[in-house]
Amino acid sequence: MERRKFLTGAAIAGAGAAAIPFAAPAIAQERKEMTIVSTWPRDFPGLGISAQRLAARITELSEGRLTTKYFAAGERVGAFDSFDEVASGNAQAYIAADYYWKGKHPGFAYFTSVPLGMTTSEWNAWIKFAGGQALWDEMSGEYGLKALACGATGTQMGGWFNKEVNSAEDLKGLKMRIPGLGGDVMAKLGASPVSLPGGQIYENLVSGAIDATEWVGPYNDYFMKFYEAAKYYYYPGMHEPGGGLAFGMNKSWWESLSKWEQAVITAACMEEHAAQYEEAMALNGTYLNKMVTENGVILKEFNDDIYDSFAEAALEVFEETRDHSPLAAKINDAFQKNLREIGGWTRIAEIAFSNQRNRVLGIEG
């Protein structure tokens, strides 16, 4: 009898609980406005659309408590002025590739991508689970910033060239748009690296102001119409084998947020970091085929001799980076250690499998 009373009471209590809406933890109703600046033009396929999607998602996830105002490159400040705009507190966040700031400190390059470095999946592992985020926090913190990964392009193409590149000699005197430490590698091989915002590359390539350019991959590059000025499309890109983009925030502003607000921003960044990479993986093959079959693009692979030259130059660049400062050496050494550990597993697992899979199934590029 007592058991029947207990069960009846529990059922009534359960029914009552189901009828009462779940009470979420109390969250301050204060709404905050978040100004975001970007290094990408508005509605820019791939990178620009991803940035706009992230800005909108933060507002959506926070149910309007964090209202974002997004400014594409040139709408509030120039693309390469985004860093100072956020560090000064004039805006709360930027969306960019952190290697754009290597002139401020070369350590920033490792938090986008470096020559012969990690693929996106390897870089993600380092950032999230092998100490990379802590080093990023240390690096950014010196400039009053807090950064989170918010996008990834995957392994990039080697770039567009207006002539064939059959040896390292062919790179000498070449004016190429290529930022980051990859640009330093090209300089050691006799090229003249140029750093240009994305929105200015096409006009410089068409006019002949530059002879070559890297950008991202077929999906992004197709809409840039580089094939109108340079027919040779080289792979794989030694300069950006993977890595990520940055959602760089003013550190004081970030620390003023509640834990819930920080969690919302972190979740939105992680979501978009995955989405941009997956979007590129889904569409790169389609757009590569379009450019080859419809636009006469000639696909070429860098030969081993050229890659050997890239490697020799990259090792020099890494040593020079280490010499910059104790923090630069600390970041480089941690990166290189994890590259070898994580990369060793990648070779045994993913690379060995994909090579065998493609062989037996006859999968070709």
Side-chain angles (χ1 to χ4, degrees):
M1 187 67 178
E2 290 300 320
R3 181 172 178 274
R4 186 178 298 117
K5 285 181 180 179
F6 170 78
L7 291 174
T8 303
I12 293 171
I20 299 172
F22 173 71
I27 299 170
Q29 296 300 306
E30 177 190 359
R31 296 182 184 274
K32 296 177 182 177
E33 189 171 275
M34 186 178 186
T35 298
I36 302 172
V37 293
S38 171
T39 53
W40 323 122
R42 184 165 290 279
D43 299 326
F44 206 49
L47 297 168
I49 291 172
S50 170
Q52 290 162 216
R53 189 164 58 202
L54 173 56
R57 186 61 171 152
I58 290 171
T59 298
E60 182 181 27
L61 276 182
S62 68
E63 297 182 335
R65 293 186 180 92
L66 290 170
T67 302
T68 57
K69 292 183 69 175
Y70 176 82
F71 295 90
E75 292 180 354
R76 182 181 174 100
V77 295
F80 292 160
D81 296 322
S82 299
F83 183 102
D84 292 337
E85 182 74 358
V86 175
S88 68
N90 289 334
Q92 283 71 56
Y94 65 71
I95 299 174
D98 260 5
Y99 68 4
Y100 288 155
W101 327 131
K102 82 174 184 71
K104 295 180 182 294
H105 195 294
F108 276 112
Y110 295 79
F111 302 106
T112 299
S113 194
V114 299
L116 305 179
M118 298 183 189
T119 64
T120 292
S121 61
E122 291 168 341
W123 187 86
N124 289 348
W126 176 56
I127 292 293
K128 293 180 182 179
F129 297 106
Q133 184 67 59
L135 288 170
W136 202 358
D137 289 344
E138 185 176 353
M139 172 87 266
S140 299
E142 290 199 353
Y143 294 85
L145 298 167
K146 160 68 181 180
L148 296 171
C150 72
T153 63
T155 302
Q156 296 194 1
M157 292 292 283
W160 296 86
F161 295 78
N162 60 16
K163 67 174 186 178
E164 288 191 63
V165 180
N166 296 312
S167 70
E169 287 292 313
D170 294 330
L171 297 173
K172 290 182 177 178
L174 200 73
K175 297 188 296 293
M176 183 175 185
R177 185 274 180 187
I178 179 168
L181 297 186
D184 295 343
V185 167
M186 295 300 281
K188 287 192 174 295
L189 296 176
S192 299
V194 178
S195 188
L196 291 169
Q200 297 177 20
I201 301 173
Y202 175 83
E203 62 192 67
N204 279 271
L205 191 61
V206 169
S207 71
I210 57 175
D211 306 307
T213 186
E214 62 78 43
W215 183 232
V216 182
Y219 167 49
N220 290 264
D221 293 11
Y222 174 82
F223 293 98
M224 298 286 276
K225 297 186 177 181
F226 294 141
Y227 54 79
E228 294 181 351
K231 290 295 183 185
Y232 296 103
Y233 198 25
Y234 275 84
Y235 73 95
M238 63 86 188
H239 61 297
E240 287 191 59
L245 302 178
F247 191 73
M249 292 168 284
N250 179 277
K251 185 180 178 183
S252 295
W253 181 82
W254 166 259
E255 291 176 345
S256 74
L257 299 177
S258 69
K259 294 296 184 184
W260 177 84
E261 290 165 333
Q262 291 180 351
V264 166
I265 293 171
T266 301
C269 286
M270 290 182 71
E271 180 181 289
E272 186 54 39
H273 183 70
Q276 189 190 96
Y277 172 61
E278 291 153 4
E279 182 178 49
M281 290 294 286
L283 297 174
N284 275 333
T286 298
Y287 282 96
L288 178 61
N289 184 60
K290 282 176 67 70
M291 289 191 291
V292 170
T293 60
E294 299 176 13
N295 304 113
V297 168
I298 301 170
L299 190 63
K300 303 281 287 185
E301 184 175 5
F302 287 127
N303 61 42
D304 288 351
D305 289 341
I306 293 173
Y307 245 82
D308 289 345
S309 297
F310 287 155
E312 290 175 14
L315 292 175
E316 290 183 32
V317 168
F318 292 140
E319 283 305 310
E320 290 171 2
T321 300
R322 293 187 80 260
D323 291 341
H324 175 273
S325 62
L327 179 56
K330 180 180 179 181
I331 292 170
N332 175 79
D333 293 353
F335 183 95
Q336 300 296 346
K337 174 179 178 291
N338 281 280
L339 168 62
R340 282 151 181 77
E341 292 177 355
I342 299 170
W345 169 244
T346 301
R347 180 185 67 81
I348 290 171
E350 300 195 19
I351 294 174
F353 165 73
S354 61
N355 285 342
Q356 289 288 15
R357 179 199 62 191
N358 292 356
R359 180 184 67 80
V360 300
L361 297 182
I363 297 174
E364 299 178 356

